[in-house]
Amino acid sequence: SGGSSGGASREDSVSAAAAVVQVQQRRHQQGKVTVKYDRKELRKRLVLEEWIVEQLGQLYGCEEEEMPDVEIDIDDLLDAANEEERALKLQETLVDCYKPTEEFIKELLTRIRGMRKLSPPQKKSI
């Protein structure tokens, strides 16, 4: 076999963001009025996802391609009721990591503070 393991990679995040932009451009060309993702919010999300991939590489001591299937869903974390619940979700996700994860979890929780969930663009009613 070979190839990369499952899980969201940086390329997936970039292509997902590109797909969103393409869809928005297509919608715009069709003359439909839509609420678009805030570009700044998308960029923040992308930077955060790249940081997460980099940090997971350090925690697991491997390259992105060799990384175990660890999925950190930012929207899922934002859905959590409070910081404690978010921290618990992250601890469960990183349960098989042999390095200490406390600093990563603290930093990630700090970085997502104030972020909004990215829900699909909605059609505006006029």
Side-chain angles (χ1 to χ4, degrees):
S1 54
S4 65
S5 64
S9 69
R10 193 177 358 223
E11 288 80 18
D12 291 343
S13 301
V14 171
S15 60
V20 168
V21 171
Q22 286 172 347
V23 167
Q24 290 171 348
Q25 288 170 342
R26 231 176 280 129
R27 284 193 181 143
H28 185 69
Q29 289 163 353
Q30 293 169 358
K32 291 184 181 173
V33 179
T34 58
V35 176
K36 296 181 182 178
Y37 286 126
D38 180 1
R39 267 213 171 101
K40 237 166 64 178
E41 199 69 27
L42 260 181
R43 189 165 289 121
K44 262 171 53 179
R45 179 70 62 107
L46 197 55
V47 166
L48 178 63
E49 287 180 2
E50 288 174 352
W51 177 83
I52 289 171
V53 169
E54 183 185 307
Q55 295 301 308
L56 289 176
Q58 290 175 15
L59 283 173
Y60 285 93
C62 61
E63 293 300 313
E64 193 175 327
E65 298 77 37
E66 304 156 346
M67 205 175 297
D69 197 12
V70 176
E71 188 174 326
I72 295 177
D73 184 335
I74 296 166
D75 286 330
D76 187 43
L77 290 175
L78 292 172
D79 272 342
N82 53 41
E83 292 260 318
E84 289 75 29
E85 197 177 307
R86 289 176 182 156
L88 275 173
K89 283 183 182 214
L90 286 166
Q91 285 166 356
E92 288 168 16
T93 303
L94 301 168
V95 73
D96 60 348
C97 183
Y98 60 93
K99 290 185 181 176
T101 58
E102 294 79 23
E103 282 304 310
F104 168 72
I105 291 173
K106 236 177 11 186
E107 179 67 22
L108 179 54
L109 293 177
T110 301
R111 287 175 181 243
I112 66 170
R113 219 172 273 141
M115 281 185 115
R116 292 189 304 267
K117 264 184 78 171
L118 286 184
S119 53
Q122 308 284 313
K123 287 185 181 172
K124 257 189 186 170
S125 55
I126 300 172

